[in-house]
Amino acid sequence: MQLVFNLPHMLRLKAMSQPWEGSVTGADQTRMAKCADAWGYDMIAVPEHFVIPVEHVELSGPHYLQSTVAQAYLAGATERIRLNSCITVLPLQHPIVLAKALATADWMSSGRMMVTFGVGWLEGEFEALGVPFRERGAMADEYLAVIKELWTSDSPHFDGKYVSFGEMAFEPKPVQKPHLPIWIGGDADAALRRAAKFASGWWSFLTPPEKIADRVDFIKSQPHYDGRPFDVVHGLGTRRVGEGHVVQDDPDGRPGMSETEIVDRLSWLGEQGVTVSAVPIPPVGGVDEYLDYAQWVIEVIKPQVP
């Protein structure tokens, strides 16, 4: 089981954040990322929104980073850990510009970048950026094809509804071949079909963990799935956040579980097909206490989980 290091103050969700997290600075995050890197965590993942409509701020919070910029910075501050997003809102960004940013970061980090794409859900955010909300799925499919074309073709060209180009060069290509890993976030059938066609991983959000195995079977039954290795992400605290970021109770993902409870739950998730997870932050008083807990997780918990 790979473990994600939950970097505090990536966002301030009512369902998950503790009061002290709002005071965590970029310098604190840099120090914490270096610790996670040295201790052997597998990944840091960065959430993304550009703007939050005021009616969503109570549940969603106002604080989000631009995922690719933050990933690139964290890659420069570390040596071995992989940098992912959770998620990058694909339809809100021009695919040529985004492909360039991700390829640049992958090249400069010696191949440690990943990306999890989603179609987004905040209609007001789309309105603010002038992007048609009802077309976001079609846009995402086309943008994914564009990005893969730019990353893999020596003479990239594309002729689509939203993007067309030809007779151009695109470098640097990603260090990772055929390209840096693409994962897809979301739980609708359309998202899973997108994962089967374009991705090597799926980040579940609203899927009940007891249904993950069935949903993975659905992905692998799609005609575009070719048998490639496929990762599945489900953090222990995922079910504490419902649709629209509403607060939910999840007795199987509460922070502060015992060693045995955490190991048993991670092992059970592994049996459902989950390959990547995270342990939620327990009630602590600040950065140093959290780092003590995070070190305990990687030293005590991870060796016990297949």
Side-chain angles (χ1 to χ4, degrees):
M1 180 75 71
Q2 299 178 65
L3 287 183
V4 178
F5 181 81
N6 289 319
L7 195 57
H9 209 196
M10 290 279 101
L11 73 179
R12 295 202 297 268
L13 287 184
K14 184 176 182 179
M16 301 182 73
S17 296
Q18 300 177 42
W20 64 271
E21 294 183 56
S23 64
V24 170
T25 66
D28 292 328
Q29 291 176 335
T30 303
R31 178 165 71 96
M32 298 176 83
K34 289 175 182 284
C35 289
D37 186 42
W39 294 336
Y41 274 88
D42 298 287
M43 185 185 306
I44 294 172
V46 182
E48 176 178 270
H49 280 291
F50 293 93
V51 292
I52 302 295
V54 292
E55 63 268 23
H56 290 281
V57 169
E58 181 183 359
L59 292 176
S60 299
H63 179 88
Y64 293 86
L65 306 179
Q66 201 281 341
S67 60
T68 308
V69 173
Q71 289 173 252
Y73 172 81
L74 291 168
T78 55
E79 296 182 1
R80 49 151 297 278
I81 199 166
R82 297 178 68 80
L83 292 311
N84 201 345
S85 59
C86 64
I87 61 168
T88 296
V89 188
L90 180 55
L92 295 180
Q93 305 175 69
H94 195 287
I96 296 177
V97 177
L98 186 54
K100 174 66 73 171
L102 287 164
T104 298
D106 195 61
W107 190 80
M108 296 195 76
S109 67
S110 301
R112 289 191 287 129
M113 292 290 286
M114 308 171 64
V115 63
T116 303
F117 287 130
V119 300
W121 62 275
L122 270 176
E123 187 168 359
E125 185 176 24
F126 280 71
E127 292 174 355
L129 275 75
V131 177
F133 183 73
R134 303 300 171 192
E135 297 180 41
R136 68 194 190 284
M139 295 176 74
D141 288 336
E142 184 168 306
Y143 285 10
L144 278 161
V146 167
I147 289 170
K148 293 187 78 168
E149 172 71 8
L150 291 166
W151 283 348
T152 60
S153 174
D154 291 332
S155 301
H157 66 276
F158 197 88
D159 185 15
K161 177 180 178 180
Y162 304 102
V163 183
S164 295
F165 57 83
E167 301 296 325
M168 63 171 60
F170 180 94
E171 289 190 19
K173 304 292 189 188
V175 171
Q176 300 174 81
K177 301 302 178 187
H179 51 73
L180 59 98
I182 294 172
W183 293 357
I184 297 295
D187 300 272
D189 286 356
L192 273 59
R193 287 192 289 267
R194 193 171 292 120
K197 183 175 182 179
F198 293 105
S200 58
W202 169 50
W203 200 304
S204 67
F205 292 108
L206 301 176
T207 299
E210 62 272 14
K211 295 185 178 180
I212 285 177
D214 289 341
R215 300 304 274 161
V216 173
D217 287 344
F218 177 83
I219 292 171
K220 294 183 176 181
S221 71
Q222 299 304 303
H224 289 291
Y225 178 71
D226 56 7
R228 59 193 175 276
F230 199 86
D231 282 301
V232 178
V233 189
H234 188 89
L236 286 187
T238 298
R239 293 288 292 165
R240 293 162 58 200
V241 184
E243 189 168 2
H245 291 163
V246 299
V247 181
Q248 294 188 155
D249 179 51
D250 180 16
D252 293 317
R254 66 190 185 281
M257 291 187 292
S258 70
E259 174 183 337
T260 299
E261 289 174 321
I262 295 171
V263 169
D264 288 349
R265 189 63 179 173
L266 288 174
S267 299
W268 180 83
L269 286 174
E271 294 170 358
Q272 311 313 304
V274 173
T275 61
V276 184
S277 192
V279 178
I281 301 173
V284 295
V287 170
D288 290 331
E289 286 185 30
Y290 175 55
L291 285 174
D292 288 342
Y293 182 80
Q295 187 172 10
W296 174 80
V297 168
I298 202 70
E299 292 180 352
V300 175
I301 299 296
K302 188 172 183 180
Q304 300 184 60
V305 182

